[in-house]
Amino acid sequence: MMSLSSEPRTTATKEKKSSSELVSVKLIEWEDYEQEVARLWSLSSALKEAREKKEGLEGKLHSLNQVEAESLSRLNVLEEIRERVGARKKMMESLSDRLQGAAEKAKKEEQRLGAEVRSLLVAGTALSVANKQLEESNRLLAGESGFLRHRNLQKMLRLRQQFMISQVSLLYSVKMSPGRSQDQELESLPSTSKSGSYAGSKLVNPGSLTILGLHLTMLPFTKMSFFSNKKEVQRSATALGYVAHAVSLISSYLKVPIRYPVRLGGSHSYIIDPSPSIEPVSSSMGSSSTTSQSNVKPVEFPLFLDGQDTTRAAYAVFLLNKDLEQLLNYIGVKSLGPRHVLANLKELVRTVQSAEFLES
């Protein structure tokens, strides 16, 4: 019995020694010894079990602390993820708005491109038709047959123009007539070339050229006055009316709009300057001044002696000769000079009726 209880007793002794400072020594009767040992053993077992539970609870508490720390960490991560998700959500909303705007813009662009495609289709169809016409035209013009056809058409046109202008030359024939005068003008010989070089020239009597038998002497015309020979004045005006009509007909047959149009009226014809810089003023007004250069209204100048104003008539003849010069330049011939009205008209008719005109 004693050997069995020696270990508990030792333990109790140790406990008593460890707590000797705190608890006063208690004396136990021998009869109560076993009971006390059993109680202490029970207390020791309970203490051991409490320690084990404590250790278990400490382990669980440690695990719980770890779980709590991990939970807090995960909560922080979740909060960060939530913030990121919120930012992504806002960005997606912005992208959605931009995408919607881009979709509307793309729709409008698609409509515009559709209209352009339709117009391109129409233009392509027109271009295809034009290409076919161009190919047909090239086929007609290609080779000897096409070129010859073009040349034949051009020759037919030139022949027609020659015929019409020959009728004008018959209607208003310019011929040479013998006669002498104090004034002379330079008339080109019929060997004038298209390059403007002259094979020869001679001084002839200005009165030697007539239109329907009427003489036109320019220098005496500018010296005419109210007291001059009325028949000479009338003959000059009639001759200028013939020339003006001939110039008007020839320009229409050659399809050349003359720079200074003519208002026909027989011996009382007028020539129009569309944009005169200076208009001569009638001497009957008793003034030597001119109109303002800013006046751009077309002005008519008489191709006849208008009262005592010979300056306006001389300027009208100058403009008529400029029309003749324009027609001569059109067919490649230079003018014979500003005073050679009938000579220029004769040269114009002669050149048109020449063989060179057909080859031009």
Side-chain angles (χ1 to χ4, degrees), residues 213-283:
L214 297 178
H215 293 280
L216 178 61
T217 54
M218 292 304 302
L219 188 57
F221 180 79
T222 58
K223 294 181 178 180
M224 290 180 184
S225 66
F226 184 77
F227 300 101
S228 299
N229 188 345
K230 303 305 180 186
K231 290 184 179 180
E232 183 69 22
V233 172
Q234 184 62 35
R235 283 195 294 267
S236 296
T238 304
L240 286 173
Y242 292 160
V243 175
H245 192 199
V247 168
S248 179
L249 291 175
I250 293 174
S251 67
S252 65
Y253 297 151
L254 293 179
K255 301 297 182 183
V256 179
I258 53 179
R259 186 174 294 109
Y260 304 103
V262 177
R263 183 165 68 85
L264 300 174
S267 61
H268 280 68
S269 298
Y270 289 84
I271 190 164
I272 302 171
D273 189 354
S275 55
S277 57
I278 298 177
E279 178 189 358
V281 179
S282 175
S283 59

Side-chain angles (χ1 to χ4, degrees), residues 85-134:
V85 169
R88 291 287 181 88
K89 185 178 179 181
K90 292 180 180 180
M91 185 177 67
M92 291 300 293
E93 291 177 353
S94 176
L95 289 176
S96 178
D97 294 338
R98 291 171 60 185
L99 181 61
Q100 185 177 1
E104 294 177 355
K105 185 177 180 181
K107 187 176 180 180
K108 293 180 181 179
E109 188 70 14
E110 182 181 1
Q111 294 176 353
R112 185 183 66 82
L113 289 176
E116 290 185 358
V117 167
R118 288 190 293 271
S119 63
L120 286 175
L121 290 175
V122 174
T125 304
L127 181 61
S128 177
V129 174
N131 283 333
K132 290 181 180 179
Q133 294 177 352
L134 180 60

Side-chain angles (χ1 to χ4, degrees), residues 41-236:
W41 181 262
S42 176
L43 290 173
S44 177
S45 298
L47 181 60
K48 184 178 180 180
E49 184 178 358
R51 286 178 179 174
E52 292 177 353
K53 289 182 178 180
K54 180 180 177 182
E55 290 176 358
L57 290 174
E58 286 178 354
K60 290 180 179 181
L61 183 60
H62 182 67
S63 299
L64 289 174
N65 288 335
Q66 289 181 350
V67 170
E68 185 179 3
E70 186 176 355
S71 299
L72 290 174
S73 176
R74 290 185 178 180
L75 285 175
N76 292 333
V77 173
L78 288 174
E79 186 66 25
E80 184 178 356
I81 291 174
R82 188 179 293 109
E83 292 178 356
R84 290 180 181 177
V85 169
R88 291 287 181 88
K89 185 178 179 181
K90 292 180 180 180
M91 185 177 67
M92 291 300 293
E93 291 177 353
S94 176
L95 289 176
S96 178
D97 294 338
R98 291 171 60 185
L99 181 61
Q100 185 177 1
E104 294 177 355
K105 185 177 180 181
K107 187 176 180 180
K108 293 180 181 179
E109 188 70 14
E110 182 181 1
Q111 294 176 353
R112 185 183 66 82
L113 289 176
E116 290 185 358
V117 167
R118 288 190 293 271
S119 63
L120 286 175
L121 290 175
V122 174
T125 304
L127 181 61
S128 177
V129 174
N131 283 333
K132 290 181 180 179
Q133 294 177 352
L134 180 60
E135 291 175 359
E136 182 67 19
S137 299
N138 289 334
R139 187 181 64 80
L140 293 175
L141 292 175
E144 291 291 333
S145 61
F147 177 74
L148 290 177
R149 181 173 178 270
H150 174 71
R151 292 294 298 175
N152 290 334
L153 289 175
Q154 185 178 14
K155 190 173 182 179
M156 289 173 60
L157 176 62
R158 296 294 190 185
L159 286 171
R160 182 64 177 172
Q161 289 175 337
Q162 277 188 342
F163 174 76
M164 299 300 293
I165 293 176
S166 67
Q167 299 302 308
V168 176
S169 67
L170 292 176
L171 182 62
Y172 298 111
S173 59
V174 179
K175 297 181 179 180
M176 302 275 279
S177 64
R180 275 292 180 187
S181 177
Q182 295 179 353
D183 302 303
Q184 295 183 343
E185 66 177 1
L186 182 66
E187 180 194 10
S188 172
L189 292 175
S191 59
T192 306
S193 64
K194 279 197 169 187
S195 61
S197 61
Y198 303 101
S201 61
K202 63 179 180 178
L203 286 174
V204 297
N205 190 339
S208 64
L209 287 177
T210 62
I211 180 169
L212 290 182
L214 297 178
H215 293 280
L216 178 61
T217 54
M218 292 304 302
L219 188 57
F221 180 79
T222 58
K223 294 181 178 180
M224 290 180 184
S225 66
F226 184 77
F227 300 101
S228 299
N229 188 345
K230 303 305 180 186
K231 290 184 179 180
E232 183 69 22
V233 172
Q234 184 62 35
R235 283 195 294 267
S236 296

Side-chain angles (χ1 to χ4, degrees), residues 8 12 15-16 28 35-46:
E15 290 177 357
K16 286 181 181 180
I28 302 173
Q35 185 178 0
E36 190 66 24
V37 169
R39 187 179 65 83
L40 290 175
W41 181 262
S42 176
L43 290 173
S44 177
S45 298

